[in-house]
Structure formats: structure tokens, C-alpha cells
């Protein structure tokens, strides 16, 4: 029974990662919304160096999983193991889907939709006890070694990434990126609150 539950959880995790990759390739990347985290770094490096986002995400995730294995617990490492390889794979697969023409005057609506998708997929990944790995490992390391709260470390790291996005893509893109993060954070908190209850 436990094995069946674990298999169902992994299938659900993979489904969430697939939709997160769709969100990345169909909304976030075309609109250059640097929302922080690994995907924000991938969008920035893609625009600056023309390196494929799936490759960037994979490299960051592998570095993070090695750091997690060395400096954190096995639970931290195992919880991020599937996401480390599945998410960049899904980004690669969904990159072949023809891009939708997203009108600039509707960017706020697309940002709201992207925030909802980020929140739902991210919320259920955490709800299931998994981790998205990547840049979030920095937050856990900061908490363990320099005693900064994970939420504050997350704010600082994502803030730096968004500021870099602001300098590269401009004020409005940064504002839309913050909208995505704000909405996704609210949704994640709602989902995790249900778990605690």
C-alpha cells in the first residue's frame, strides 16, 4: 500500500513539473518574466549567452544536488532528486511546442495566470514532501550555516535575481515578475495551510 502511495506521489510530482515546464516555455520565457529561482536565472542567461534554458536548469540543479548531499541531510537531497533531472527534461520537451503569440497589452493577465500555475505546481510539490531543488538549496544552506530564516533568504536571493532582470528587461517586466511571485506565494501558502490543518 505504501509503495502504491509513493508511486502516486511521484506521478503527481512529475505532472506538476510538466505543467511548471509548460508555464516556463509558454508564458514566462516568451514574456521575459524573471521570477527568481532557477527559472529566473535560466531566462537571464538564455538572453545574455543564448544558452538553452534546459541546460542551464540542469547545471544549476546538479550543482545544488551535490551541495545538498555534502552539506545538508539525505532527506533534503532525496526530496530534490527527481526534480533535479525531470524538470530540465520537461523544459526541453515542452520547448518544441510552438510558442503562443502573447500580446504585450495583456501581459498582466498572463502574469496572473503564470502566478497561479507556479503557485499550484509549487504548492503541491511541497505538499507532497518533495523539493524543487535548484536555487532553493541556497536558502536552506543559509538557514543552516548563517541562521537566516528560509523565507528571508528566499526573499534576498529572489530579490537579487529580479533586480538583475530589471536591469536587463526594464521596470515593467520586473513589476510583472513580482506579480507572478506574489500570486504564487499566496497559492503555495493556501495549499500548505491545508496540509497543516
Amino acid at each position: 500500500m505504501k509503495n502504491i502511495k509513493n508511486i502516486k506521489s511521484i506521478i503527481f510530482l512529475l505532472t506538476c513539473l510538466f505543467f511548471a515546464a509548460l508555464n516556463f516555455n509558454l508564458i514566462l520565457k516568451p514574456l521575459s518574466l524573471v521570477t527568481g529561482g532557477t527559472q529566473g536565472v535560466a531566462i537571464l542567461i538564455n538572453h545574455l549567452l543564448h544558452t538553452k534554458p534546459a541546460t542551464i536548469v540542469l547545471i544549476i540543479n546538479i550543482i545544488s544536488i551535490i551541495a545538498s548531499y555534502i552539506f545538508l541531510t539525505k532527506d533534503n537531497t532525496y526530496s530534490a532528486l527527481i526534480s533535479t533531472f525531470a524538470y530540465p527534461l520537461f523544459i526541453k520537451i515542452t520547448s518544441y511546442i510552438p510558442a503562443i503569440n502573447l500580446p504585450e497589452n495583456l501581459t498582466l493577465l498572463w502574469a496572473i495566470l503564470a502566478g497561479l500555475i507556479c503557485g499550484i505546481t509549487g504548492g503541491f510539490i511541497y505538499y507532497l514532501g518533495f523539493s524543487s531543488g535548484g536555487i532553493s538549496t541556497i536558502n536552506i544552506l543559509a538557514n543552516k550555516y548563517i541562521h537566516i530564516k528560509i523565507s528571508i533568504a528566499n526573499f534576498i536571493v529572489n530579490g537579487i535575481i529580479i533586480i538583475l532582470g530589471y536591469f536587463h528587461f526594464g521596470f515593467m517586466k520586473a513589476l510583472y515578475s513580482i506579480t507572478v511571485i506574489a500570486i504564487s506565494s499566496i497559492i503555495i501558502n493556501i495549499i500548505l495551510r491545508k496540509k497543516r490543518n
Side-chain angles (χ1 to χ4, degrees):
M1 194 70 172
K2 190 177 180 181
N3 287 338
I4 293 170
K5 188 179 178 183
N6 288 342
I7 291 167
K8 284 182 178 178
S9 294
I10 290 169
I11 291 169
F12 198 17
L13 168 66
L14 292 172
T15 303
C16 287
L17 291 171
F18 180 78
F19 279 101
L22 272 178
N23 191 35
F24 177 86
N25 275 315
L26 297 182
I27 302 177
L28 297 176
K29 184 174 172 284
L31 292 176
S32 301
L33 300 181
V34 179
T35 55
T38 307
Q39 59 191 17
V41 173
I43 290 170
L44 273 172
I45 295 176
N46 172 252
H47 275 265
L48 292 169
L49 304 177
H50 306 291
T51 308
K52 291 186 177 179
T55 304
I56 300 162
V57 172
L58 181 62
I59 291 167
I60 293 171
N61 282 357
I62 288 173
I63 292 168
S64 296
I65 207 82
I66 292 168
S68 177
Y69 183 78
I70 295 169
F71 299 109
L72 300 173
T73 65
K74 287 182 179 178
D75 285 343
N76 286 121
T77 306
Y78 294 149
S79 69
L81 201 55
I82 297 172
S83 299
T84 294
F85 299 100
Y87 186 53
L89 175 64
F90 289 150
I91 287 176
K92 179 71 175 174
I93 292 167
T94 56
S95 69
Y96 295 111
I97 297 171
I100 304 166
N101 185 22
L102 304 176
E104 284 286 327
N105 62 328
L106 295 177
T107 303
L108 179 58
L109 290 176
W110 289 114
I112 292 168
L113 177 61
L116 290 169
I117 296 169
C118 284
I120 292 167
T121 55
F124 280 112
I125 286 169
Y126 295 132
Y127 185 90
L128 292 167
F130 293 104
S131 165
S132 55
I135 298 290
S136 62
T137 304
I138 295 172
N139 305 331
I140 301 169
L141 286 168
N143 176 254
K144 182 175 180 179
Y145 290 102
I146 53 179
H147 310 294
I148 297 175
K149 286 183 180 179
I150 289 177
S151 58
I152 294 172
N154 184 57
F155 178 80
I156 293 168
V157 172
N158 285 334
I160 292 167
I161 295 167
I162 290 169
I163 289 167
L164 292 172
Y166 159 74
F167 284 117
H168 192 65
F169 297 112
F171 175 74
M172 288 309 297
K173 295 287 186 181
L175 201 59
Y176 292 134
S177 298
I178 292 167
T179 302
V180 174
I181 291 173
I183 292 170
S184 65
S185 298
I186 291 166
I187 301 295
I188 288 170
N189 284 333
I190 290 169
I191 291 171
L192 294 182
R193 199 179 302 134
K194 287 184 181 294
K195 183 180 182 179
R196 288 192 291 268
N197 294 339

